[in-house]
Amino acid sequence: MSQAKVLVLHGPNLNLLGTREPEIYGHETLDDINNLLYEKAAFNGWEVKALQSNHEGALIDAIHAARLDGTAAIIINPAAFTHTSVAILDALNAFDGKVIEVHLSNVHKRESFRHHSYVSLRADGVIAGLGSQGYLAALDALIKAADA
């Protein structure tokens, strides 16, 4: 699958990466993470489009658009919407490509409300607790699966 397109969605408050609770989320900014993804994708002949929004509807609109624009996969860190958004789950259920859910922190070591994910009901894979490396692992998994 050459020049496959991957949509990377970052949920609410991830625009604050690097300054918000760095002991949990690390010191890298969202731009740092996106640039790593752009470089890895380009090196492998893929295309990444990244979007961060604090608004559930904007993330849903991006998922709907991905159904029609040739996007092969979605990497999503739904952040707080992980635990609340049936609407994002429904949008992902309408998407035919691969979906990998990513979390910077290990949500299972945190508050109990973070242990449930609606998105996991659709995700083909879930990566948590690896910091920004989780995004790269997700992209790597998609690339390797396409080459298989």
Side-chain angles (χ1 to χ4, degrees):
M1 183 186 308
S2 70
Q3 197 56 32
K5 291 168 57 171
V6 177
L7 175 62
V8 179
L9 295 175
H10 306 283
N13 300 310
L14 292 173
N15 56 305
L16 301 177
L17 284 178
T19 60
R20 175 185 170 233
E21 298 178 280
E23 68 281 0
I24 295 173
Y25 301 109
H27 294 280
E28 289 176 293
T29 67
L30 193 60
D31 284 341
D32 293 336
I33 292 170
N34 286 338
N35 287 333
L36 290 171
L37 290 167
Y38 297 144
E39 289 173 19
K40 183 175 192 68
F43 180 80
N44 287 280
W46 284 44
E47 176 187 344
V48 164
K49 177 183 176 185
L51 170 73
Q52 185 280 326
S53 183
N54 296 316
H55 306 280
E56 185 178 34
L59 298 170
I60 292 167
D61 287 345
I63 295 166
H64 289 182
R67 295 178 66 224
L68 305 172
D69 70 3
T71 297
I74 295 173
I75 297 170
I76 182 169
N77 181 344
F81 291 141
T82 303
H83 323 292
T84 63
S85 184
V86 173
I88 288 176
L89 170 63
D90 287 348
L92 290 169
N93 280 334
F95 176 74
D96 290 332
K98 295 277 189 189
V99 174
I100 299 182
E101 178 182 355
V102 173
H103 298 283
L104 294 162
S105 68
N106 181 352
V107 293
H108 302 289
K109 287 181 71 176
R110 299 186 61 198
E111 304 93 336
S112 62
F113 73 87
R114 295 186 193 275
H115 299 174
H116 178 267
S117 168
Y118 283 104
V119 172
S120 291
L121 296 172
R122 168 56 179 92
D124 297 293
V126 178
I127 300 169
L130 298 180
S132 64
Q133 292 302 306
Y135 287 97
L136 294 172
L139 183 57
D140 192 47
L142 292 169
I143 292 167
K144 286 184 178 174
D147 290 342

